[in-house]
Amino acid sequence: MKREHDELAEDTADLTQVSSEGSRLKGPDAYRNKTILAPMGTLPMRLLALEYGADIVYSEEIIAKKFAKCLRTVDEKSKRVEFVLPDHKKKNVEAGCMLPGFFKDDAIHLSLDDALRAAPLAFRSDNEHNIYLEDEEDEEKANPPETTTSASQGATKRDVLQRAQHSSKTCVTYDQVSPASPLHALYNWDPLLDFLAAVLSKEQLHRTADRLGALNVHIYHQGDELGWHFDRGEFAVSLLLQSSAESGASDEGGGHFEYAPHLRSADDQNYVDVIGVLDAAEEDKSTTSTGGRIRRLNITPGALVFFCGRHSLHRVTKVTGDTPRVMAILSFETRPGVELNDYTRLKFFGRTG
Ligand SMILES: O=C(O)CCC(=O)C(=O)O
Ligand SMILES: [Fe+2]
């Protein structure tokens, strides 16, 4: 309690507050041994609290110095109000968000049964890839290694490309998902497009036009995993149908979603920290400075997850138990009519049509 009190004092050191004594006090001393109430909503309520013995009352707007420095922004479409630090804008933007319980038990079970019925026909991929999910030869031609050294010196794109990742999973394609599945209904439900567009601050979203890749269900059996990668697309929407993890954060069962938020940006590939995260994950050194950037998201069945994977390195750890991890991926684009290329279709679906 003492520590919190001091932290609050430090955080608000520049602010001048009106106390019950009516005098203006400045600096940390103004907050020692005082009865402080926060957050207090309306002025009459605050005045009443002062009358009944509180020394200092705060409205929400002046709790922290950091907060006082924020800019008020309003998203035009959703009308959502956000307070953003002007110089730390990127740190305020989350890598993703999760809505637990979006699908209730019945919808989960019907979708799961449908996917598992289709599984014997589905393609199993098992391959190595780099974290950028791109063809190395094409990439080297387009960006010769000498032009791709990180601003934070010492590591190059070539170093990162050499860190091969393994992925194996079975993929039920869109044409194999039954039109009777709740997943099919959800994906083709127009209000979902509006909802996602509002949440993601996009003018308009469209379902991906790919007859195989628009909606997929990935099944990870024992030994399967999804290696570290940055998504090529801007964001992904996923819905977990079955977890392989036995309980929340414990390692048992495996199949955990792990990510290192904001590891790169549009202007800095940050190869040094990318290598640091890959090393830390390999050696399971979650306490090293780069390893400390790795977070684990405890996704429960039925949760809808939006994830901006283009700048946040992420993976699914190896499934170690008997229960397969079953994850639906819903794909959307900001432009209509977008299809996958044949290279991707062959790699992940084993066919082009
Ligand atoms: O299955 C997951 O949780 C993530 C899947 C993913 O990262 C992807 O499909 O790109
Ligand atoms: Fe991904």
Side-chain angles (χ1 to χ4, degrees):
M1 192 59 207
K2 165 91 170 59
R3 204 178 58 82
E4 279 171 26
H5 186 94
D6 285 351
E7 271 173 12
L8 176 70
E10 200 172 286
D11 224 16
T12 53
D14 285 357
L15 295 177
T16 303
Q17 299 303 320
V18 178
S19 78
S20 57
E21 296 136 29
S23 60
R24 294 178 80 80
L25 301 166
K26 254 185 177 275
D29 283 343
Y31 306 98
R32 296 204 199 286
N33 302 319
K34 298 282 188 228
T35 303
I36 302 171
L37 289 182
M40 298 289 291
T42 58
L43 183 64
M45 189 66 189
R46 276 183 268 155
L47 292 174
L48 209 61
L50 289 173
E51 208 178 303
Y52 278 84
D55 293 309
I56 301 173
V57 292
Y58 287 94
S59 67
E60 285 159 272
E61 292 78 7
I62 49 175
I63 293 168
K65 193 163 91 180
K66 259 193 201 147
F67 196 82
K69 287 183 189 160
C70 283
L71 295 177
R72 185 178 189 276
T73 62
V74 184
D75 179 82
E76 272 184 23
K77 198 151 188 226
S78 65
K79 304 286 175 243
R80 193 180 59 192
V81 176
E82 276 190 294
F83 293 87
V84 186
L85 279 172
D87 49 342
H88 293 100
K89 209 170 173 177
K90 283 183 195 148
K91 288 186 191 153
N92 270 8
V93 178
E94 287 299 326
C97 108
M98 175 160 71
L99 300 178
F102 186 82
F103 252 23
K104 302 289 174 232
D105 285 353
D106 285 354
I108 297 172
H109 290 139
L110 286 169
S111 306
L112 186 61
D113 284 353
D114 179 73
L116 295 178
R117 247 197 315 275
L121 297 173
F123 181 70
R124 179 180 153 77
S125 57
D126 186 340
N127 43 46
E128 296 218 319
H129 55 84
N130 56 56
I131 66 162
Y132 302 108
L133 301 176
E134 60 194 16
D135 191 302
E136 274 172 51
E137 279 179 24
D138 288 357
E139 164 54 25
E140 288 220 353
K141 265 183 232 145
N143 297 302
E146 59 275 16
T147 66
T148 55
T149 306
S150 171
S152 37
Q153 60 16 75
T156 62
K157 181 156 190 174
R158 183 176 287 192
D159 296 331
V160 179
L161 286 172
Q162 279 167 358
R163 306 294 296 262
Q165 302 296 311
H166 171 256
S167 291
S168 61
K169 56 185 158 71
T170 299
C171 179
V172 175
T173 47
Y174 189 27
D175 60 342
Q176 292 169 335
V177 174
S178 152
S181 165
L183 271 182
H184 198 284
L186 173 69
Y187 187 60
N188 287 287
W189 187 49
D190 286 343
L192 181 70
L193 293 175
D194 297 336
F195 172 65
L196 292 175
V199 171
L200 296 160
S201 301
K202 303 286 172 204
E203 195 57 41
Q204 204 182 343
L205 283 185
H206 305 269
R207 292 175 200 97
T208 302
D210 200 272
R211 62 200 172 283
L212 303 183
L215 167 63
N216 291 149
V217 183
H218 297 289
I219 306 172
Y220 296 79
H221 292 283
Q222 196 164 41
D224 285 350
E225 63 185 335
L226 184 63
W228 288 108
H229 65 282
F230 289 113
D231 286 344
R232 297 187 65 82
E234 220 176 317
F235 61 89
V237 180
S238 61
L239 202 160
L240 188 67
L241 298 178
Q242 180 169 278
S243 176
S244 54
E246 289 192 2
S247 66
S250 97
D251 253 342
E252 270 161 85
H256 294 285
F257 181 78
E258 291 185 341
Y259 65 106
H262 307 300
L263 203 56
R264 69 170 179 178
S265 65
D267 349 295
D268 183 9
Q269 288 294 329
N270 194 8
Y271 301 124
V272 170
D273 284 346
V274 167
I275 296 261
V277 165
L278 296 176
D279 281 345
E282 225 165 72
E283 295 160 25
D284 202 13
K285 282 189 192 155
S286 51
T287 50
T288 61
S289 61
T290 33
R293 293 178 80 147
I294 302 175
R295 315 248 167 94
R296 183 174 278 190
L297 194 63
N298 178 20
I299 310 176
T300 45
L304 190 74
V305 177
F306 315 129
F307 185 68
C308 300
R310 189 181 272 184
H311 294 145
S312 299
L313 196 65
H314 56 287
R315 70 162 169 183
V316 176
T317 64
K318 195 172 273 185
V319 171
T320 53
D322 296 338
T323 312
R325 177 184 199 263
V326 185
M327 177 61 108
I329 306 284
L330 293 72
S331 297
F332 301 91
E333 298 286 339
T334 46
R335 288 174 299 127
V338 175
E339 292 188 38
L340 299 174
N341 58 20
D342 282 352
Y343 173 88
T344 311
R345 286 194 189 126
L346 279 172
K347 207 167 177 102
F348 295 106
F349 315 138
R351 63 199 163 103
T352 53

